[in-house]
Structures are given as C-alpha cells and as structure tokens.
Amino acid sequence: PKNIVFEGEDKYDVSLTVENDQGCTRKITRKDLVVVGKAKIIDLEISENDVCTNEELAIKQIGSDLSNGTVSWLLNNATVTYTNSKNTLKRVSYSNTGNYHVGLKYNAGGCITEVFYQDTIRVDRVNADFEMSAPCNCITEEILFTNRSSTSDPHDSLLYKWTVKNQNGFTIYTSIDKNPKYQFRQMGTYSIQLDVTGRKGCTASKKNSITFG
C-alpha cells in the first residue's frame, strides 16, 4: 500500500500494474476512483444561549452547502420539535436545567468536517411556591403570604405578582411585594395566585385558596 496526498480538488483515476517473475505485466485502471473535494467551512448559529426549560430555540448550520453529504447532529438530551428538509436547521427545547453542548458532523464520502461547542446552551427554571398563615374565624386578622419560590440560576433575581380574587372571580387585591399581608373583610373562599418571573423571562405560577367561615 502506498500513501498519496492529493493536492488539488478534482477527480482522479487510479491504476495498478502487476508484473510477475517472467516479466508479464497487467494493468487495471479505475476511472474517477478518488474524488477530492474542497474542504467544507461550517459553523452553527444559535438563536438563544440562555433559555428556560421547555422554551424553543433554533440552531442553524451556516457556511458551506452540505447537500452532497450526510449531516449528523450532536445534541445531548434535546427534544427536537422541527427539522428542515436539508437537515441544516433544528428547533429544540430542553425539559431539564443544566448546560448543554451542540455539534454538527458532515460526512462526504468519508471526508468528515465537524463543529462542536461544549456547554454552550444554559437552561434554567423558576419555581413558584408560597405558604399562608392559618386563617381563624375572625376575618379582621391579616393573613401573611410567605414566598417560597426558587430559581436554578444562583444569580437570578425574581419579580413577584400576587393576585387575590373573591368567590365571584373579581380581583380584590394585587401586590408585587415578596411577602405581602392582606386583611380579608368578608366570609367566603378566595383564590390566591403567585406569578414569578426571572431575569431571563422564565415564569412560573402557583395557585391556592383560603376560606373564612
């Protein structure tokens, strides 16, 4: 076997000549046996690097045309929601928090070009939760709503919106405080909803009810 380096982009014939001890020779030629193509330049364009759980983002191959080979994507634990006909565009989402890599491999006749980004996508989640002080029969007592919300991003800051509705569905109180208090003035069952928003726009809600009388 002989190693040969092909310098140019072209199709090459390969010939093999065999000679025996008596000087008899035979030659065989294969036309266009080796095809040397131009090296592909590929990269990836990611619509968002910081996203929330179950939020869709787009990953697109940019650079050379890859229509003459096989495209393979390297996506760890992603849910693919869309793929275009050329397999050069993906829409994906992630159900769990963490850091995720993205890559693409192109194979054209055994010639492989690959692009890979380690931990390039960060996925976070916001959880909404709260507790209420126990009501008594006296509706003049203030009820304390204690926020227990959390976020997977240690650098995140949360915004709060509290909404209290009466049994007819009318809003009777709102607050943006972290731990508000409210004094109910009539007997009945009330719904309390906490909406939480993180700095990335990640949102979560928690709903509960409280009854007097």
Side-chain angles (χ1 to χ4, degrees), residues 21-39:
D21 294 339
Q22 287 74 40
C24 299
T25 62
R26 185 174 180 180
K27 181 179 180 180
I28 184 172
T29 299
R30 295 285 186 264
K31 297 285 291 182
D32 300 334
L33 181 64
V34 177
V35 178
V36 179
K38 186 177 180 180

Side-chain angles (χ1 to χ4, degrees), residues 167 186-190 210-213:
Q167 53 196 354
Q186 293 182 345
M187 297 294 184
T189 299
Y190 299 84
I210 189 170
T211 300
F212 294 90

Side-chain angles (χ1 to χ4, degrees), residues 11 27 31-32 77 102 121-122 133 147 181 189 198-199 208:
K11 295 180 180 180
K27 181 179 180 180
K31 297 285 291 182
D32 300 334
N77 299 317
V102 173
I121 296 175
R122 172 69 187 178
S133 57
N147 171 66
K181 294 180 179 180
T189 299
R199 64 181 178 87
N208 209 334

Side-chain angles (χ1 to χ4, degrees), residues 200-212:
K200 292 180 182 178
C202 300
T203 61
S205 297
K206 173 68 178 292
K207 194 173 183 179
N208 209 334
S209 62
I210 189 170
T211 300
F212 294 90

Side-chain angles (χ1 to χ4, degrees), residues 126-130 161 193-197 203-207:
V126 168
N127 296 306
D129 195 13
F130 67 91
K161 181 184 178 182
Q193 180 168 319
L194 170 61
D195 298 306
V196 181
T197 304
T203 61
S205 297
K206 173 68 178 292
K207 194 173 183 179

